[in-house]
């Protein structure tokens, strides 16, 4: 023990510097390593933020390309401005941009952006590194598919008051997204049809061409002299066969005031039709669903004008979407052999989806039994919306519109 004590005393009293020099040198290296780690971390964070900002710029620029048909210089300016808006650190001068490259494929409506910038180092200068270079890329494509959208809108009596006001606002929001003011459907490649329904459907000028005036007993039906149409009997009941091979019935005289509106890209025509919606009658939801389908079906093309004729189902660059909206339980039907309104609705939705139509459903303060039908009809759980108030109804239509008008990242 005494030997150990003597060694400790000798070490304490030593001033030879044998340990201090190596420690000092290692401290310098350690400090440089820590400083470098700080700079590298800053560069990594900057790269992540830049990638997010560049993704957003690519999406916005691709949309600008598709909707406005700008020149390359206008695209470059748009991309730069959008990047700077979303990359705050660069906007504040913390980083220095070296280049923002733009590649455009106008045929595919695709934009590719490449960003190079420098991140000044705080500690790298100690060993000759004044900045770190960062590169990132993003590619975005505006979906060039055409859209055919039909909106089944509930105008039954229960929609009176605030509900019909909320529906009009929400439906017009979707039109604003798909056919914005100042644009038109030929640019957005979107057409929209309206299928108001209540106790029956007002087929307008198309009614007499697609429906029989007699019922299944060969007697003149209650709705023979109106525009009202009801179910199809027999094998064509739940199909979109041409009405030439399977007429609809006219078994109700309780016709909604508002007729169907075939596919159109005329924004003002759509907005006016929605503003004119009036309510009254029961809830034959299966009839609304059937007309939401007919207005998208190529089998019904010769029933409408050439501008409103739906594209074939197998058209690669065309997407067909039906939006089914109601506030109540389906409770009105006319041909007992076809089943209840809810069962007919499910059969129609199943066959419409098989044909290639994407179905969104929206319940507006709808009872539980109505929710079950809408969930069954929707293309997936995420295609169903249960709106409990006007704000949620509006958000549902907006979200559907944004999804349909969507941009997608390709890499």
């Amino acid at each position: 023990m005494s030997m150990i004590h003597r060694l400790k005393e000798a070490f304490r009293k030593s001033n030879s510097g044998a340990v201090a020099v190596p420690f000092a040198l290692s401290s310098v290296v350690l400090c440089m390593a820590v400083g470098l780690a700080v700079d590298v971390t800053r560069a990594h964070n900057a790269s992540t933020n830049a990638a997010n900002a560049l993704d957003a710029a690519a999406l916005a620029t691709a949309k600008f390309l598709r909707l406005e048909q700008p020149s390359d210089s206008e695209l470059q300016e748009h991309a730069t401005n959008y990047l700077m808006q979303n990359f705050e650190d660069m906007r504040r001068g913390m980083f220095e941009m070296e280049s923002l490259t733009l590649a455009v494929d106008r045929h595919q409506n695709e934009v590719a952006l490449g960003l190079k910038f420098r991140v000044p180092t705080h500690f790298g200068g100690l060993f000759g590194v004044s900045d770190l270079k960062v590169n990132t890329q993003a590619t975005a494509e505006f979906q060039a598919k055409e859209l055919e959208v039909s909106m089944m809108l509930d105008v039954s009596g229960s929609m009176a008051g605030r509900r019909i006001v909320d529906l009009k606002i929400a439906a017009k929001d979707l039109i604003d997204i798909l056919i914005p003011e100042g644009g038109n459907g030929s640019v957005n490649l979107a057409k929209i049809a309206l299928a108001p329904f209540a106790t029956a459907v007002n087929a307008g000028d198309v009614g007499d061409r697609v429906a029989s005036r007699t019922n299944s007993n060969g007697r003149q039906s209650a709705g023979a002299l109106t525009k009202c149409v009801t179910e199809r009997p027999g094998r064509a009941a739940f199909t979109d066969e041409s009405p030439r091979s399977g007429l609809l019935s006219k078994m109700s005289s309780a016709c909604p005031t508002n007729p169907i509106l075939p596919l159109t890209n005329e924004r003002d025509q759509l907005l006016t039709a929605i503003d004119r919606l009036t309510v009254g009658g029961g809830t034959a939801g299966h009839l609304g669903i059937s007309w939401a389908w007919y207005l998208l079906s190529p089998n019904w093309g010769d029933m409408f004008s050439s501008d409103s004729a739906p594209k074939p189902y197998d058209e690669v660059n065309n997407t067909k979407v039906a939006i089914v909206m109601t506030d109540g339980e389906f409770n009105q039907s006319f041909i007992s052999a076809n089943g209840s309104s809810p069962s007919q609705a499910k059969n129609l939705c199943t066959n419409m989806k098989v044909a290639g139509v994407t179905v969104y459903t929206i319940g507006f303060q709808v009872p539980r039994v109505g929710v079950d039908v809408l969930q069954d009809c929707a293309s997936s759980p995420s295609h169903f919306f249960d709106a409990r108030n006007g704000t949620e109804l509006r958000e549902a239509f907006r979200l559907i519109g944004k999804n349909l008008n969507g941009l997608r990242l390709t890499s």
Side-chain angles (χ1 to χ4, degrees):
M1 292 294 294
S2 62
M3 181 178 294
I4 294 174
H5 179 73
R6 287 196 299 272
L7 289 172
K8 288 173 60 178
E9 283 300 308
F11 179 78
R12 184 176 63 82
K13 295 177 179 180
S14 175
N15 58 6
S16 65
V19 175
V21 173
F23 178 77
L25 292 175
S26 63
S27 296
V28 172
V29 174
L30 181 61
C31 289
M32 292 174 66
V34 171
L36 179 61
V38 170
D39 286 335
V40 170
T41 299
R42 289 181 59 248
H44 174 75
N45 292 337
S47 178
T48 300
N49 293 336
N52 292 334
L54 198 66
D55 283 347
L59 290 171
T61 306
K63 182 175 182 179
F64 184 53
L65 169 66
R66 187 68 192 88
L67 299 183
E68 304 296 336
Q69 302 297 307
S71 65
D72 285 357
S73 61
E74 289 172 329
L75 281 172
Q76 183 78 44
E77 181 181 4
H78 190 85
T80 302
N81 290 340
Y82 209 91
L83 173 68
M84 298 301 284
Q85 290 172 13
N86 288 275
F87 195 6
E88 183 178 356
D89 289 341
M90 182 169 287
R91 187 173 69 250
R92 291 163 54 193
M94 295 176 63
F95 310 132
E96 182 180 351
M97 183 190 300
E98 288 190 339
S99 65
L100 177 64
T101 59
L102 168 72
V104 181
D105 185 335
R106 293 181 181 272
H107 179 69
Q108 295 295 329
N109 303 305
E110 184 178 277
V111 168
L113 297 177
L115 173 64
K116 294 182 179 181
F117 65 99
R118 293 196 297 267
V119 178
T121 60
H122 292 329
F123 301 97
L126 296 174
F127 41 93
V129 180
S130 60
D131 55 54
L132 297 175
K133 298 184 184 299
V134 178
N135 298 336
T136 188
Q137 295 84 34
T139 302
E141 172 188 330
F142 188 89
Q143 290 183 324
K145 289 187 175 182
E146 298 178 7
L147 276 174
E148 293 178 347
V149 180
S150 64
M151 286 199 283
M152 163 189 148
L153 302 177
D154 191 338
V155 292
S156 61
S158 59
M159 285 291 295
R162 184 66 211 179
R163 289 188 183 185
I164 191 63
V165 174
D166 288 335
L167 174 59
K168 290 178 180 181
I169 294 171
K172 289 193 286 187
D173 279 349
L174 183 134
I175 291 169
D176 284 339
I177 292 170
L178 297 183
I179 310 177
E181 187 174 8
N184 56 62
S186 62
V187 172
N188 291 317
L189 303 176
K191 289 185 177 182
I192 300 173
L194 304 179
F197 80 95
T199 304
V201 170
N202 183 340
D205 296 337
V206 179
D208 287 335
R209 299 201 299 273
V210 302
S212 169
R213 292 191 175 195
T214 59
N215 59 29
S216 56
N217 295 320
R219 298 174 182 174
Q220 185 163 299
S221 63
L225 301 179
T226 75
K227 302 294 185 181
C228 275
V229 292
T230 54
E231 296 99 330
R232 306 173 86 173
R235 66 175 181 81
F238 310 120
T239 75
D240 67 332
E241 283 187 16
S242 168
R244 299 186 188 282
S245 60
L247 290 173
L248 283 73
S249 300
K250 280 191 173 185
M251 302 182 72
S252 173
S253 57
C255 213
T257 302
N258 310 104
I260 61 167
L261 177 61
L263 290 168
T264 180
N265 57 20
E266 294 295 332
R267 170 187 165 86
D268 290 343
Q269 185 180 10
L270 288 160
L271 295 177
T272 298
I274 290 172
D275 276 331
R276 290 177 177 173
L277 291 176
T278 58
V279 300
T283 310
H286 65 293
L287 296 179
I289 291 172
S290 64
W291 276 92
W293 188 6
Y294 302 155
L295 290 166
L296 299 174
S297 172
N299 298 325
W300 282 64
D302 59 354
M303 295 294 110
F304 312 119
S305 69
S306 58
D307 289 341
S308 297
K311 301 276 188 180
Y313 283 123
D314 59 359
E315 181 73 36
V316 174
N317 291 319
N318 187 65
T319 299
K320 295 179 183 287
V321 177
I323 301 173
V324 173
M325 176 273 157
T326 185
D327 79 328
E329 177 185 356
F330 295 170
N331 57 18
Q332 185 82 49
S333 59
F334 298 89
I335 300 178
S336 58
N338 284 5
S340 66
S341 181
S343 67
Q344 291 191 57
K346 290 182 179 181
N347 285 329
L348 285 160
C349 284
T350 296
N351 293 337
M352 176 164 50
K353 288 182 286 189
V354 169
V357 178
T358 299
V359 181
Y360 287 89
T361 60
I362 305 172
F364 184 26
Q365 301 176 356
V366 73
R368 182 69 248 175
V369 65
V371 169
D372 292 339
V373 174
L374 295 177
Q375 288 177 327
D376 189 85
C377 277
S379 288
S380 77
S382 65
H383 287 73
F384 165 68
F385 297 85
D386 187 11
R388 308 317 300 174
N389 53 55
T391 299
E392 291 182 4
L393 180 69
R394 192 172 185 182
E395 182 60 27
F397 274 91
R398 284 176 173 173
L399 185 56
I400 292 170
K402 290 175 183 177
N403 288 344
L404 297 181
N405 208 29
L407 285 158
R408 62 183 175 88
L409 284 175
T410 57
S411 63

